[in-house]
C-alpha cells in the first residue's frame, strides 16, 4: 500500500477497530473451538474485541496460521491481517546453542548465519516476528535469564546484537524467509537487584547510557524494526510507563520509528508496581510512553476508549500507534499476501535440512569453553583398544539440551551424547552409565513447557550409582556429563546457589574417589560456581545448552576432531558471594593487588576478588604465545588511528583458532573509568608453529564515554592498550590522546 492508502485506511477505521490493532493475544483465542469460552472470559473480552485483534503470539504452524488468518480476515472490518509473533530465541526446529553460548563464539558471522536459519524456519511456519535478540547486559549469574543474553561485555553484546538483527531481517522484513527482530527488554532488565527476576533496577544515568543502552542501540543501528519494554522499574518508573526512556530516548533521540510492544502483561503490572491506580490510568501512562502493543492484557482494549472519551488521552496519540502498526504490516507485505512465507510443505518436511544440522554442530563446538585440561587429558583417543573410557552422568541420555526457550523443536530430533557415541567407530572401549537422573530424587520442575516430575525410585538410583562407580573403577578415564536441568535457568529461574545440583556433585565425589582421571562436561545456562569441580577434576568442558546437535558436537570436541572454540562471554565466579562479578569494573580508592595481605583494601577476607575464570578465557588443544606488541605511533589525534600490532604464535602441536582480544584502559578521566574495556577482537587460525601478526586500529571514537558533565566525548590524556587471549591480557603499550 502507498502511504496515502494507509492514511485513508486509518481515517476510515472506527475507534474500536483502531484500539484492536493495539491488542496482542495468544493463538488459542483463534483456534476455532468455542471462542466465547476460557481465555476470552478470563480476560473479559468480547467477540467483537477479538475480531479486531492486531496480532497473535506463540502460535506456529503454516496450516494453522493460514487458517486463523483466513477466518479472522472474514470478520475484521477492513480485512486487515494480523501479525504472528513468537519467541524464537536460539533456533526454531533446528536448535542452536543458547545465546550466552553463542556469545562465547566471538563470531558475529556465525551468529548471523544461525539467526538467518531461524528466520527461514520461522517464516515458513508462518511467523513474522521473533522476540529476539535479548540484548540485556548481564553480570549477575544468579539471574536465570543470563542464558538469553550474549554476556557481560558492552562491545561484544553490541556486535552480536547487530549480527542477530541482520540474520533475522536480511535486506528487509518483507523479503522471503525474513522476519522482524524485536529487541528486548528495554531497558535494563538484565540488572535486577540481587539477581532476582522482575526485581527493581537501580543504575546511574551514566551506567545506563554507557553500559546498558549501547546493546539496544547497536540493534537499532542494524535497523531492528521492533522493540519490547521490560518488566522492571528503572529509576523507579516501570518501563512500560517510562516516557523518558521510551519516547525521549528511543524515539526522539535515537529516531526509532518501528513498533514498541509491552512485555507479557507489563502494562497491567504498572498497577502492581503501584504507579497506576487502575487499568485506565495504566493505559494512559503506557500510551503516553509510546507503547504501541499491549501483550496479553485487556488494559488497552477495554480502557483506552473511556480514557479518550474522558479526554485523558488524545485520539491522535492512539492514531500514532495504530499507524505504526499498519506501516509495519505494510512493510511485511501482509496487505498483499497475509500469509507471507507460510509453507505447509516446508513445515512438514520429514528431516531437519542437513545444512542446518551441520551449522548447529559447528556452532555448538564453537561455543564450548575448555576451562581446564590438566595433563592434556583431552582430547581422548578413539584408537587404543587397550583403553576404556567410562561415560557417566545423567546428561549421557538427556534430550532436554536446548535451553528453556526452545518451544517448537522436536525433542526426539536432538542427538544425545549416548547416541553420538554409539554412532562412532572406535577401537577404544567404553561404557555408558547415567549414575543418577538429571533432576534428582523426588524433585519436580516447572517452566514454559509444563510440569515435569522425577519418577525414578531410590532403588533405581542406588543401582544406577553402583553401576557408574563400578564402570569408573575399571576405566582409564571417566567422562562425567553433568549440569543444571534446563528449567533451572531462563525466565523466573533465579537462584542463590549456583552450583551443579547437589545430588550430581555427590556422584562426582564418589567417582573421583575411585578414579582421579575425571573429565567433566558441564551443561548450564549460567556461569556456575565450579570451585570443587575445578579442584578435583582433570578437565572441564563447559557446553551450556548446545541444541539439536549436542551429542555430535560434544563427541567432536572430546575426541579432538574439532577444538573447543569458545571463550567466556561471562565470568565464572569463584563463589556466589562475588556476584555480580565482571572484568570491566571501576577502580576503587583502595585498589587491591591480588595476593597482598593488606587488609584495608577493597577485597574479601575469604575469597579472591577475581572470578575463577575470567571473561574472554578459554583453552584450546594447542597453546598460543603473544609477542612483540607495538604501536605505529604513540599519539592519537581525532580522525586518525593508531595501529597496534602483535605477533600470535601457535606454540602447540595442533592447528587452532584463537580469539585475539584488544582491551583499552583510560588512566585518568573526569570520572572514574573501567580498569579495561574490550574494544576489538579477531579470530585467527594458526597451524602448529605458525606466527601471524594481528593488527587493530585504535580510534578516538573508541575512547569516548560520558564525562563529568554527561557529554559523550573523549578526553586527552594517557591510555594503555592490552592484547591477549582473555581479559587478563598482559602485553601492553602506552599511548596518548592529544586534542
Ligand atoms: C518474556 C519475554 C517474551 C514474552 C513473550 C515474557 O514472559 O519476558 O521475553 O518475549 O514473554 O513470550
Amino acid at each position: 500500500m502507498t502511504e496515502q492508502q494507509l492514511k485513508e485506511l486509518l481515517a476510515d477505521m472506527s475507534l474500536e477497530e483502531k484500539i484492536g490493532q493495539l491488542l496482542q493475544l495468544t493463538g488459542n483465542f483463534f483456534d476455532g473451538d468455542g471462542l466465547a469460552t476460557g481465555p476470552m472470559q478470563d480476560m473479559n473480552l468480547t467477540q467483537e474485541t477479538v475480531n479486531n485483534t492486531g496480532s497473535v503470539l506463540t502460535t506456529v504452524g503454516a496450516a494453522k496460521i493460514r487458517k486463523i488468518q483466513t477466518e479472522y480476515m472474514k470478520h475484521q472490518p477492513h480485512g486487515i491481517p494480523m501479525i504472528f509473533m513468537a519467541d524464537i530465541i536460539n533456533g526454531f526446529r533446528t536448535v542452536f546453542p543458547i545465546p550466552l553460548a553463542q556469545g562465547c563464539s566471538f563470531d558475529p558471522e556465525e551468529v548471523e548465519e544461525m539467526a538467518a536459519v531461524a528466520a527461514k524456519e520461522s517464516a515458513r511456519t508462518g511467523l513474522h516476528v521473533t522476540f529476539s535478540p535479548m540484548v540485556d547486559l548481564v553480570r549477575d549469574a544468579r539471574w536465570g535469564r543470563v542464558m538469553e543474553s550474549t554476556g557481560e561485555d558492552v562491545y561484544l553484546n553490541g556486535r552480536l546484537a547487530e549480527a542477530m538483527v541482520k540474520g533475522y531481517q536480511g535486506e528487509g522484513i518483507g523479503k522471503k524467509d525474513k522476519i522482524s527482530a524485536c529487541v528486548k527488554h528495554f531497558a535494563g532488565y538484565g540488572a535486577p537487584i540481587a539477581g532476582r527476576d522482575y526485581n527493581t533496577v537501580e543504575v546511574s544515568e551514566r551506567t545506563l547510557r554507557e553500559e546498558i543502552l549501547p546493546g539496544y542501540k547497536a540493534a537499532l543501528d542494524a535497523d531492528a524494526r521492533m522493540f519490547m519494554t521490560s518488566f522492571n522499574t528503572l529509576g523507579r518508573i516501570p518501563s512500560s510507563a517510562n516516557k523518558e526512556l521510551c519516547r525521549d530516548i528511543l524515539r526522539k533521540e535515537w529516531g526509532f520509528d518501528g513498533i514498541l510492544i509491552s512485555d507479557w502483561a507489563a502494562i497491567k503490572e504498572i498497577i502492581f508496581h503501584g504507579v497506576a491506580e487502575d487499568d485506565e490510568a495504566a493505559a494512559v501512562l503506557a500510551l503516553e510512553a509510546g507503547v504501541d502493543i499491549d501483550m496479553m492484557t485487556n488494559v488497552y482494549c477495554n480502557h483506552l476508549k473511556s480514557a479518550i472519551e474522558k479526554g485523558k488521552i488524545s485520539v491522535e496519540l492512539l492514531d500514532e500507534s495504530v499507524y505504526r502498526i499498519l506501516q509495519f504490516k505494510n512493510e511485511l507485505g501482509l496487505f498483499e499476501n497475509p500469509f507471507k512465507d507460510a509453507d505447509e510443505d516446508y513445515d512438514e518436511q520429514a528431516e531437519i535440512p542437513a545444512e542446518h544440522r551441520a551449522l548447529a554442530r559447528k556452532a555448538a563446538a564453537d561455543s564450548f569453553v575448555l576451562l581446564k585440561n590438566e595433563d592434556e587429558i583431552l582430547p581422548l583417543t578413539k584408537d587404543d583398544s587397550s583403553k576404556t573410557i567410562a561415560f557417566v552422568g545423567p546428561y549421557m541420555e538427556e534430550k532436554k539440551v536446548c535451553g528453556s526457550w526452545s518451544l517448537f523443536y522436536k525433542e526426539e530430533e536432538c542427538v544425545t551424547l549416548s547416541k553420538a557415541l554409539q554412532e562412532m567407530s572406535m577401537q577404544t572401549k567404553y561404557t555408558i552409565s547415567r549414575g543418577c537422573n538429571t533432576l534428582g530424587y523426588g524433585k519436580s520442575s516447572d517452566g514454559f513447557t509444563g510440569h515435569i516430575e522425577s519418577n525414578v525410585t531410590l532403588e533405581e538410583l542406588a543401582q544406577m550409582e553402583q553401576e557408574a562407580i563400578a564402570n569408573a573403577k575399571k576405566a582409564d578415564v571417566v567422562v562425567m556429563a553433568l549440569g543444571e536441568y534446563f528449567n533451572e535457568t531462563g525466565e523466573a529461574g533465579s537462584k542463590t546457589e549456583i552450583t551443579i545440583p547437589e545430588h550430581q556433585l555427590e556422584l562426582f565425589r564418589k567417582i573421583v574417589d575411585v578414579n582421579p582421571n575425571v573429565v567433566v562436561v558441564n551443561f548450564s545456562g549460567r556461569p556456575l560456581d565450579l570451585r570443587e569441580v575445578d579442584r578435583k577434576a582433570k578437565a572441564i568442558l563447559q557446553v551450556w545448552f548446545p541444541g539439536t546437535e549436542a551429542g555430535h558436537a560434544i563427541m567432536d570436541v572430546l575426541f579432538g576432531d574439532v577444538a573447543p572454540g569458545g571463550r567466556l562471554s561471562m565470568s565464572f565466579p569463584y563463589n556466589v558471594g562475588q556476584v555480580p562479578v565482571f572484568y570491566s569494573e571501576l577502580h576503587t580508592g583502595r585498589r587491591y593487588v591480588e595476593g597482598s595481605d593488606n587488609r584495608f583494601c577493597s577485597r574479601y577476607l575469604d575469597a579472591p576478588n577475581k572470578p575463577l575464570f575470567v571473561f574472554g578465557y578459554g583453552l584450546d588443544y594447542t597453546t598460543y604465545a603473544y609477542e612483540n606488541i607495538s604501536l605505529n605511533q604513540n599519539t592519537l589525534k581525532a580522525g586518525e588511528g593508531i595501529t597496534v600490532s602483535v605477533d600470535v604464535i601457535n606454540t602447540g602441536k595442533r592447528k587452532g583458532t584463537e580469539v585475539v582480544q584488544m582491551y583499552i584502559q583510560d588512566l585518568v578521566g573526569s570520572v572514574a573509568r573501567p580498569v579495561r574495556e574490550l574494544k576489538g577482537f579477531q579470530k585467527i587460525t594458526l597451524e602448529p608453529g605458525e606466527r601471524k601478526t594481528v593488527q587493530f586500529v585504535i580510534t578516538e571514537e573508541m575512547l569516548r564515554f560520558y564525562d563529568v558533565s554527561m557529554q559523550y566525548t573523549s578526553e586527552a590524556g594517557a591510555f594503555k592498550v592490552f592484547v591477549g587471549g582473555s581479559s587478563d591480557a598482559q602485553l601492553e603499550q602506552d599511548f596518548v590522546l592529544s586534542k
Side-chain angles (χ1 to χ4, degrees), residues 183-256:
V183 183
K184 67 192 190 184
H185 305 84
F186 198 65
Y189 182 47
I193 291 178
R196 204 179 72 220
D197 206 1
Y198 316 121
N199 202 8
T200 308
V201 174
E202 283 290 344
V203 290
S204 70
E205 167 85 7
R206 183 169 282 105
T207 302
L208 178 72
R209 292 253 176 197
E210 204 166 296
E211 300 180 12
I212 290 182
L213 292 185
Y216 308 98
K217 180 66 165 52
L220 179 59
D221 289 345
D223 205 24
R225 300 301 299 137
M226 197 163 156
F227 266 64
M228 185 188 289
T229 61
S230 57
F231 287 126
N232 56 283
T233 57
L234 184 69
R236 310 203 176 185
I237 304 171
S239 294
S240 300
N242 194 332
K243 209 169 155 187
E244 191 186 336
L245 187 68
C246 299
R247 236 176 232 287
D248 298 348
I249 297 183
L250 180 62
R251 295 211 187 274
K252 292 200 192 120
E253 197 180 313
W254 293 0
F256 176 61

Side-chain angles (χ1 to χ4, degrees), residues 57 87 131 145 184-185 228 231 263-264 295 405 491:
L57 83 157
D87 293 271
F131 297 130
R145 301 195 76 169
K184 67 192 190 184
H185 305 84
M228 185 188 289
F231 287 126
D263 201 347
W264 182 292
M295 187 195 288
W405 261 127
E491 186 166 347

